[in-house]
């Protein structure tokens, strides 16, 4: 991994920084966290600006509509947008970081042409329909059925914790197409239009009061066979591609955000007198080192992804495991620095702390990540 910058990369950073300085003051006010239609419009508006400036899908392959940027340019983009306080992907999270990269890697030419340009242009939003009430960490136990009927699948079942379902146009949906096969081998990956007859969405309110998740009920929903990504019953392998993006590269922007948060915590601690506490300073120093190491791991994962054809490897589980716990500790320290104000739901830090509690569950629990690291990286035998 080469961490030095070329003249071209330094020029890329300078031009991006100049564009951000000009563009960010022109953005409208951010909508309320509870206003998901407003947040969708805001996030899509930002994506359109990125697309117009040539920064949408920066690291996606050129034939998938991206710019084919190097891993270093991708990381520079993340550093500079976070440093400038630019909007995060928000409602575009699944399309840009999960479904889109999966379709780019596994989809047909027609599927890539249909679904990728609207994601990059900021025209369509995707949600993730993987987990079910009885199939969370054991995702392969899913029971949502898809029965072939001519050129369609007829889908019946339910999903839970469906990210951004209430504002999505499409859903990356896992279904069981062969109930008689071993559970990992009878699954298919479908693109579900969210406006199809028989789809019902019921928002779920989180601990932080937000409703970015939903239950989705599917009552004999017809999905064209042409919407299947990968072969029938090969969905588990395709899902592993999706999860490799989710665990390996989807969180990279958040590492930059956490490093900025850590700096702000240090400033607040100095301002309110907490900096004199040597235990607190040690915790902040250790977190500084941990997030620095996570950023280096991020750089390695992104570079490794590029070398392996664009799909992150199992090293993403190492990152996801370490990052989830570091983020939780970061916001525990934030509560210590902020004192009583950290209990107010009007305080942005409080909402971030409540959100951080889910990170050891989302995208595969820490227990699942430890199993992956033990079995696939360390070569340890499977537990009995």
């Amino acid at each position: 991994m080469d961490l030095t910058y070329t003249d071209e990369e330094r020029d890329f950073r300078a031009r991006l920084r100049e564009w951000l300085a000009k563009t960010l003051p022109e953005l409208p006010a951010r909508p309320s966290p509870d206003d998901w239609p407003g947040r969708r419009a805001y996030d899509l508006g930002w994506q359109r600006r990125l697309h117009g400036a040539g920064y949408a899908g920066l690291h996606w392959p050129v034939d998938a509509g991206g710019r084919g940027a190097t891993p270093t340019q991708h990381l520079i983009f993340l550093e500079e947008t976070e440093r400038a306080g630019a909007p995060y992907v928000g409602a575009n999270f699944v399309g840009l970081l999960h479904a889109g990269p999966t379709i780019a890697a596994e989809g047909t030419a027609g599927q890539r042409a249909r679904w990728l340009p609207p994601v990059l242009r900021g025209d369509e939003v995707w949600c993730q329909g993987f987990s079910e009430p009885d199939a969370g960490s054991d995702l392969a136990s899913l029971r949502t059925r898809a029965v072939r009927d001519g050129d369609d699948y007829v889908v019946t079942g339910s999903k839970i914790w469906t990210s951004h379902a209430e504002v999505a146009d499409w859903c990356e949906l896992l279904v069981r197409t062969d109930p008689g096969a071993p559970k990992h081998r009878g699954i298919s990956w479908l693109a579900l239009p969210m406006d199809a007859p028989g789809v019902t969405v019921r928002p779920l309110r989180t601990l932080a009061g937000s409703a970015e998740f939903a239950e989705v009920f599917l009552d004999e929903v017809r999905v064209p066979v042409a919407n299947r990504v990968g072969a029938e019953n090969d969905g588990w392998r395709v899902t592993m591609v999706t999860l490799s993006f989710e665990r390996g590269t989807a969180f990279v922007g958040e590492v930059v955000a956490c490093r900025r948060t850590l700096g702000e915590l240090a400033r607040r601690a100095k301002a309110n007198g907490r900096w004199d506490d040597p235990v607190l300073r040690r915790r902040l120093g250790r977190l500084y080192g941990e997030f620095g190491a996570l950023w280096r791991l991020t750089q390695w994962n992104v570079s490794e992804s590029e070398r392996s054809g664009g799909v992150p490897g199992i090293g993403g589980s190492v990152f996801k495991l370490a990052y989830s716990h570091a983020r939780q500790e970061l916001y525990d320290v934030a509560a210590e620095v902020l004192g009583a104000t950290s209990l107010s739901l009007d305080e942005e830090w409080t909402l971030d702390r409540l959100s951080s509690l889910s990170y050891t569950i989302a995208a595969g629990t820490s227990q699942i990540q430890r199993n992956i690291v033990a079995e696939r990286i360390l070569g340890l035998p499977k537990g009995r």
Side-chain angles (χ1 to χ4, degrees), residues 86-142:
Y88 189 51
V89 290
N92 296 316
F93 183 83
V94 175
L96 285 169
L97 304 181
H98 300 183
T102 301
I103 293 167
E106 297 288 335
T108 65
Q111 290 170 339
R112 288 153 67 101
R114 165 60 187 89
W115 287 313
L116 298 183
V119 169
L120 293 180
R121 288 196 305 263
D123 293 340
E124 293 179 347
V125 169
W126 283 67
C127 63
Q128 185 181 67
F130 282 14
S131 297
E132 297 181 5
D134 295 317
S137 295
D138 186 12
L139 182 58
S141 296
L142 65 90

Side-chain angles (χ1 to χ4, degrees), residues 150-164:
D151 293 332
D152 292 333
Y153 288 111
V154 180
V155 181
T156 301
S158 67
K159 296 292 177 177
I160 198 167
W161 308 121
T162 308
S163 307
H164 304 315

Side-chain angles (χ1 to χ4, degrees), residues 4 9 24 27 36 51 67 83 96 115 126 132 153 155 168 181 189 224 257 269 287 294 302 316 352 373 384:
T4 61
E9 289 162 349
L24 292 180
L27 296 182
W36 272 102
H51 186 266
R67 187 163 161 178
R83 184 197 64 81
L96 285 169
W115 287 313
W126 283 67
E132 297 181 5
Y153 288 111
V155 181
W189 197 108
L287 281 169
L294 280 168
V302 171
D352 287 338
V373 171
R384 295 183 182 275

Side-chain angles (χ1 to χ4, degrees), residues 183-349:
K183 64 180 184 179
H184 290 86
R185 298 179 184 172
I187 294 171
S188 296
W189 197 108
L190 303 180
L192 165 74
M194 291 298 287
D195 60 355
V199 177
T200 301
V201 176
R202 295 180 185 171
L204 294 167
R205 193 160 295 278
T206 69
L207 181 66
S210 179
E212 69 258 33
F213 299 112
E215 294 178 285
V216 176
F217 299 92
L218 306 161
D219 184 11
E220 296 189 348
V221 180
R222 301 189 75 88
V223 180
V225 173
N227 287 19
R228 187 189 67 230
V229 175
E232 185 170 284
N233 299 325
D234 192 33
W236 187 253
R237 184 191 61 80
V238 178
T239 300
M240 292 303 99
V241 173
T242 304
L243 293 178
S244 70
F245 284 114
E246 185 173 8
R247 296 166 183 166
T249 54
F251 288 117
V252 294
E254 296 189 29
V255 176
V256 184
C258 285
R259 296 179 77 187
R260 180 170 55 86
T261 297
L262 192 59
E264 177 61 25
L265 278 179
R267 286 188 287 273
R268 290 218 185 183
K270 292 173 183 177
N272 65 15
R274 297 305 309 280
W275 191 251
D276 294 334
D277 182 345
V279 175
L280 176 63
R281 289 203 308 273
R282 279 197 296 271
R283 291 187 72 187
L284 288 170
R286 186 166 56 78
L287 281 169
Y288 180 84
E290 190 157 353
F291 279 107
L294 280 168
W295 182 242
R296 290 298 185 229
L297 181 57
T298 293
Q299 292 174 309
W300 187 89
N301 280 338
V302 171
S303 299
E304 183 67 14
S305 168
E306 185 70 14
R307 285 193 294 270
S308 62
V311 178
I314 55 177
S317 289
V318 177
F319 168 83
K320 200 276 176 179
L321 179 62
Y323 171 70
S324 297
H325 291 272
R327 184 182 175 94
Q328 288 182 351
E329 185 174 358
L330 171 65
Y331 284 101
D332 283 345
V333 174
E336 189 176 341
V337 170
L338 298 174
T341 61
S342 69
L343 300 177
S344 170
L345 287 178
D346 294 328
E347 175 67 63
E348 182 179 355
W349 299 81

